[in-house]
Structure formats: structure tokens, C-alpha cells
Amino acid sequence: MCNKTNLLKIFYLFLFLELSVFGAMCAEANELHRENHALTEKFSHLPKKAVEVEKQYPLDIKPSPIITAANQMCVECHKTITPALVMEWERSRHAQKGVGCVDCHKANEGEIDAWQHMGALISILVTPKDCSNCHANEYKEFSRSHHAKAGEIFDSLDNLLAEKVIGLPDNNADAVNGCLQCHGSIIRFKRNDAGEILRKEGKPVIDPDTWPNSGIGRLNPDGSKGSCHACHSRHSFEAKLSRAPENCGKCHMGPDHPQMEIYKESKHGIAYTANIDHMALDKEGSWVLGKDYSAAPTCTTCHISSYMTSEGEHNASNHDVGERISWTLRPVVSTKINMVIYKDGFKEDYPDTRKLPEIGEEVQVIEKIVHEETLVKKIVSKRVDKIVTWQERREKMKGVCRNCHNHTHVDNFYQQFDSLVVLYNKKFAKPAQVMMKALTEDEVLNPKVPFEHEVQWVFWELWHHEGRRARHGASMMGPDYTHWHGMYEVAKHYYMKFLPAVIKAAAQKSDEMKTKYEQKIEELLEQEEHLWMKGLSEEEIKVLKSTYENRYNE
């Protein structure tokens, strides 16, 4: 009996303890619930924002494509013939809006690239003029840009190298596979002896030397210039492709303009690579720095897209990529560039060494157009509508920079950049240019044979390769390209190759000419900036030797 009583007491004791603990837990749970409710009220905007973000940055799952009756046959047939192409289109915004094959590829009666295909009059070529049916403003902006003029290189030294120096009379494969794939070709057609376009099953035969070609300055049969899918790759046409720096790197890379390599080296490129998932590259619609993303700028950010300012969004989205450039870094000697805009929208860069016209003035302008599948120059009269100074162009670029940097940072960067360009111009480019002009005037060099002598090759690489690398490196904060791939190579080849090659070329003319240029170079090297060649001071040598010994113990 006693044992049973004790057991009951113990049971009721444990029961009491369990109920006490449970009550405390309930009270604590109620308190947590009240706290969570308060927090939810305080941050009630967060779920809403999460939904908004989900809408702005959709997952890979896209709405089903809208296939109109006009495009039904195309899609069904090409799902078998070119299935990957159809898949790309199906995930595009075009497909979501019901824009399909016929809408882009349709042609008009009488167009030389038109042909009947399964009951529809179409063309293989989709040109900027075709895209302008929906994207009129983008077409207008692009048509007046440097990109649209990229195909006008047929009378340049670059093209001469590919066509003449490298090519054969009947084989210009280097130009076709190299130059024209970035710059763009004149689209030509195979013709018979009567000049009529050859056709195969009704389809016009395009000259294989000119197509396929997605060059940014392609010269199309309908008179338009460019290729939209150079940046907006078909058939998905995703915005993230044109926003990504790799897209520009197809053409803007290599020994003469290594923007892609410089970008990857720069702090901007490093930040982009590390934070690519924060770049909102897939966002539909506008893509605004300081609003939609902040992790890093890309090529598009600096040269095309909109950005935030202290006064709100600056709607600068523009397919004219050159509007924010204040230096030209391409020629032998760099100059700051103003922009002259004419009434018809045509634009020209005016070096700051060239006198600007007046607003309203009639100016004779050289335009390049395709006539009978050949690029020809046409002199036309245009009226000046507006002038944008190099300072105004720079201010537009600074607006991008100020999203992350203060005025001091931005202004000092431009001071550093400007100083590098001036250094290159003053010490190497201008003296080398003067020397080349003198050799031509003395008939040492024949202007009709631009790569006859070694000095012409050395001079070419001095400005076209090494000088550009240095200038572009400074413009995009790539220190290695500025110095080791740039100014170091400029200096080494100026002293060790260019100046000796000047004397060598002069000696081939006559002994008197050799003596003349030896004296010219001797006078040049007497200038203060070249006196290092006569030797350093004893103190300078001592410091250099001591530093090396202390660092390497040798």
C-alpha cells in the first residue's frame, strides 16, 4: 500500500512538472508569435518586393511561344530541319509577342535578295531596315554611329594588308575570314555574263566571300548599313548577350585594340566576373546603372546604357556607341574630338585641331554608299544642326562614373589618362610622324608602296598596335597594357627599330641621304627627353645597382 501511494505521488509530481514546462513553452511561443507578427508588419514591403524582383528577373522558364498562322508552317518544318534554331526562337521575347519567321524574313516584290519559299516571298538577309519596322528609334541611332560605318574600310591600310600584302589576286580569304567578319562586307550575288543574278531553285546565290557575315558595318542590298545580330545574336536575341562584355570582345580584342583583354585586367572587369549574378543581365526592358544593378560596369554601361544621376534617371540608352568618347585613340596622333550633327542626322567627328563650322552652315560632306555592289564616295551638301564639344561628350561619360566614384576620383582619372595620351603624342608619335613625312618628301619612301621598307612596318606597329594598346590601356584602367604591352613596346621599338630603320631606308636612296638622316636623328637625341641614351649619372647607377643587390642578393 505504501509503495502504491509513493508511486502515485511521484506520477502526479512529474505530471505537474510537465504541465508547467508546457505552459512556459506556450507562453514563449505566444511571445515569439507576437514578435514575428510585429516584424512582419514592420517589413511588410519585403514580400511585395520579392514578387517584383521575381517579375523583373524571371527564371529560365518562359511563357509558351505564340505561333501565328503565317509562321505555323515555318516552325513545324524547321523543327525538323534546324531544331536548335527553333528552340532559340521559342525562348525569345519575339516568340512571346508572336513575332516569327515571316515577320522578319519577309521580302517585297522586286528586291534582289527575294525568293519564293513555301508560298512566302522571303529573304535570308535580315537587315537593320527590316528590324526598323518595330525598332525605329534604335535603327535611327545605330545608322549614324561609328559601328554602322565599320564596313567602310575598303580603301584603308588595314584592308590593303589583308587584300594585297597577304592575299592572292584570286583569293582574299584573309580579308573574308578576318577583317570582314567584324567590320562587315558588301553583300554581293553571283551573276552570269549578262550581269543577272544566278538562282538555284529560285533562290538568289549569294557570293560566299560575302555571306555568312554578321559584321557590325555590313553593307546590305537594301541600302542599310550594319547587322543587328552582331550584338543581338539570333534567334533568341537576348538582352543579356548585348549587355555582356564578351559580346563586344568578338571584335574589340587583339594586338591593335585589346579592349576585351584590358577590361578583364581592370578593376571593373574583375568586379564583373566576381559578381556576374548581381548584374541583372536578364532584366527585360531598360537596364539602368544605379537602379537595376551596381556591381560593375560593362562596355554597354559606359557607352550605351542609361544611368542614375543626382537628379534622377538619365535616359541615355543609345545605339550610337561613340557619343561619350572625347579622345580618338585610333590614328597616329590622338586628338580630342568634337561632334558635328547635320539636319538629316548624319554625324562627323571633328578633331579639335580642325575648325568647327557654324550652326546652320552648309558643309560639303563625303558619304560612302554602295553602288552596283561597290563602295563609292559621294560629296553631298549638309546643313549643320548641332555641335557637341569634346567636353560635353566627356561629361556624358563622367555621369556613368559618378554612380560609384566622387568628382575628385573621376577628374583625377581623366587627368592621368590625358597625361598618358599627351606623353605618347609628344615624345613618340609626333616625332615619328614628322620623320615619315620627311622621308616621303625626300622620295626615300614611295607613298604608292606603303609597306616597301622595314621602317614602314615598324612605324605601322608603333602607332597601330603598340601605341593603341597604351592609349586604350590608360582609357580603361589596364596598367599592364598601358605599360608593358604599350609604352614599353613603343619606346623599345622607337629607339631600337624605328630610328635605325629610318637611316637604313635613307641609305638605300644615297649616301648623302643617309648622312642627312643621321644628322636629323643626332639632333633629335640631343633633346632633353632622350638624353638618357648618353648615360645615367654615377649617383643614378649606384642607386640602381644597390637596389638590385638588396632585392636579389646578386
Side-chain angles (χ1 to χ4, degrees):
M1 190 74 173
C2 181
N3 289 338
K4 288 183 178 180
T5 302
N6 289 338
L7 287 172
L8 284 170
K9 287 180 178 179
I10 293 170
F11 171 77
Y12 286 125
L13 177 62
F14 274 108
L15 181 62
F16 173 76
L17 290 173
E18 286 178 2
L19 289 172
S20 299
V21 171
F22 180 74
M25 290 174 65
C26 288
E28 186 175 349
N30 287 332
E31 182 63 26
L32 286 172
H33 176 74
R34 285 194 295 272
E35 289 179 3
N36 287 339
H37 182 72
L39 286 170
T40 302
E41 288 293 318
K42 185 177 180 181
F43 298 105
S44 59
H45 65 287
L46 288 181
K48 183 181 177 182
K49 281 198 170 182
V51 172
E52 290 174 356
V53 169
E54 188 175 340
K55 286 181 179 178
Q56 285 185 346
Y57 311 108
L59 301 175
D60 288 339
I61 300 172
K62 301 283 187 181
S64 298
I66 298 172
I67 304 175
T68 63
N71 296 302
Q72 183 71 41
M73 184 183 294
C74 305
V75 173
E76 289 179 356
C77 184
H78 280 274
K79 272 188 174 180
T80 302
I81 300 172
T82 51
L85 184 152
V86 175
M87 287 178 68
E88 286 293 287
W89 172 77
E90 285 177 335
R91 65 189 184 89
S92 72
R93 290 191 72 191
H94 280 170
Q96 295 169 35
K97 302 294 183 181
V99 177
C101 318
V102 174
D103 301 289
C104 296
H105 285 275
K106 65 183 176 183
N108 296 319
E109 196 70 46
E111 293 180 355
I112 65 172
D113 56 336
W115 60 296
Q116 283 289 339
H117 177 63
M118 305 299 290
L121 190 65
I122 69 163
S123 170
I124 290 177
L125 301 170
V126 178
T127 73
K129 187 174 286 186
D130 295 319
C131 300
S132 73
N133 290 321
C134 297
H135 304 283
N137 194 52
E138 288 81 0
Y139 172 70
K140 182 179 177 182
E141 292 168 348
F142 176 83
S143 296
R144 66 195 186 205
S145 71
H146 279 293
H147 273 167
K149 299 174 183 176
E152 300 172 7
I153 63 165
F154 299 103
D155 54 358
S156 69
L157 283 175
D158 302 74
N159 200 61
L160 183 143
L161 278 167
E163 294 269 6
K164 302 291 185 182
V165 178
I166 298 170
L168 290 166
D170 61 346
N171 186 336
N172 65 339
D174 180 57
V176 169
N177 290 274
C179 312
L180 303 184
Q181 292 301 325
C182 278
H183 284 269
S185 64
I186 297 175
I187 301 298
R188 298 186 175 95
F189 296 86
K190 288 288 190 181
R191 297 175 183 269
N192 59 24
D193 293 338
E196 299 167 332
I197 293 176
L198 298 177
R199 293 180 177 271
K200 186 175 182 180
E201 298 178 356
K203 179 179 177 181
V205 179
I206 303 178
D207 185 340
D209 282 348
T210 70
W211 178 264
N213 185 283
S214 60
I216 194 73
R218 194 180 71 200
L219 297 148
N220 303 298
D222 61 7
S224 65
K225 295 180 180 180
S227 170
C228 299
H229 76 270
C231 299
H232 302 278
S233 299
R234 60 178 183 235
H235 280 82
S236 62
F237 305 102
E238 291 173 298
K240 67 179 180 182
L241 288 174
S242 58
R243 292 166 178 167
E246 292 83 0
N247 189 61
C248 306
K250 175 204 169 189
C251 299
H252 292 276
M253 52 84 69
D256 57 335
H257 40 48
Q259 288 96 336
M260 187 62 208
E261 295 95 322
I262 293 166
Y263 176 78
K264 286 183 176 179
E265 174 189 340
S266 73
K267 295 291 288 183
H268 289 160
I270 293 167
Y272 168 79
T273 302
N275 297 289
I276 190 169
D277 54 333
H278 299 300
M279 290 296 296
L281 296 175
D282 234 348
K283 179 180 177 292
E284 293 187 356
S286 63
W287 187 61
V288 184
L289 176 66
K291 180 181 178 182
D292 299 315
Y293 67 102
S294 61
T298 69
C299 314
T300 302
T301 303
C302 295
H303 293 282
I304 297 176
S305 292
S306 298
Y307 53 84
M308 297 301 293
T309 72
S310 58
E311 299 173 356
E313 182 178 333
H314 176 51
N315 186 16
S317 184
N318 195 333
H319 280 64
D320 186 348
V321 297
E323 284 200 342
R324 303 174 196 172
I325 295 175
S326 51
W327 276 107
T328 175
L329 305 180
R330 293 180 296 167
V332 178
V333 176
S334 282
T335 61
K336 293 191 173 76
I337 44 175
N338 303 304
M339 183 189 294
V340 176
I341 305 173
Y342 300 98
K343 288 286 186 181
D344 64 354
F346 187 83
K347 294 181 177 182
E348 275 193 302
D349 281 335
Y350 266 57
D352 62 352
T353 54
R354 181 181 176 186
K355 187 179 182 298
L356 284 168
E358 300 291 333
I359 303 293
E361 182 179 343
E362 287 282 339
V363 177
Q364 298 297 304
V365 175
I366 297 176
E367 279 192 306
K368 295 181 179 179
I369 61 170
V370 175
H371 178 67
E372 296 181 352
E373 297 185 348
T374 302
L375 191 67
V376 297
K377 295 178 181 179
K378 181 176 68 170
I379 298 176
V380 295
S381 182
K382 294 183 182 290
R383 188 174 297 278
V384 178
D385 182 52
K386 185 180 179 182
I387 291 174
V388 183
T389 65
W390 70 263
Q391 292 95 335
E392 291 173 298
R393 298 174 81 167
R394 177 168 291 189
E395 188 59 30
K396 290 182 179 181
M397 184 68 84
K398 283 185 174 182
V400 182
C401 308
R402 292 191 193 111
N403 268 262
C404 295
H405 308 291
N406 63 22
H407 287 268
T408 301
H409 184 106
V410 176
D411 292 344
N412 286 0
F413 157 73
Y414 268 104
Q415 176 64 41
Q416 294 174 1
F417 169 38
D418 290 349
S419 295
L420 188 284
V421 177
V422 170
L423 168 63
Y424 159 80
N425 279 348
K426 184 176 179 180
K427 187 168 183 178
F428 301 106
K430 289 182 178 179
Q433 187 180 60
V434 168
M435 197 72 74
M436 293 296 287
K437 287 181 178 178
L439 288 170
T440 302
E441 290 170 0
D442 285 334
E443 297 183 348
V444 173
L445 301 179
N446 181 356
K448 294 182 179 180
V449 191
F451 292 100
E452 180 184 14
H453 293 276
E454 181 185 2
V455 69
Q456 292 163 305
W457 290 88
V458 176
F459 177 65
W460 169 259
E461 293 194 352
L462 195 69
W463 70 266
H464 189 270
H465 285 46
E466 295 140 12
R468 281 187 182 175
R469 291 201 294 265
R471 289 172 280 175
H472 283 130
S475 75
M476 295 171 60
M477 297 180 290
D480 191 60
Y481 273 86
T482 302
H483 178 62
W484 289 118
H485 292 293
M487 292 304 292
Y488 167 77
E489 298 284 353
V490 169
K492 180 179 71 171
H493 293 152
Y494 180 79
Y495 290 116
M496 300 294 110
K497 288 186 176 181
F498 177 71
L499 296 180
V502 168
I503 296 173
K504 180 180 176 181
Q508 292 176 329
K509 180 74 173 178
S510 67
D511 290 339
E512 291 78 13
M513 199 63 70
K514 177 187 176 184
T515 301
K516 177 179 178 178
Y517 279 87
E518 285 176 337
Q519 291 174 349
K520 274 181 175 287
I521 291 173
E522 188 175 341
E523 291 171 6
L524 174 75
L525 297 179
E526 288 294 329
Q527 296 174 10
E528 184 180 3
E529 62 265 30
H530 303 298
L531 288 180
W532 68 269
M533 292 196 74
K534 294 186 179 295
L536 303 176
S537 67
E538 290 294 330
E539 185 60 29
E540 289 172 325
I541 293 296
K542 183 178 179 181
V543 170
L544 287 174
K545 185 176 180 181
S546 174
T547 300
Y548 186 87
E549 288 175 349
N550 290 335
R551 185 172 185 179
Y552 300 110
N553 195 32
E554 291 182 3

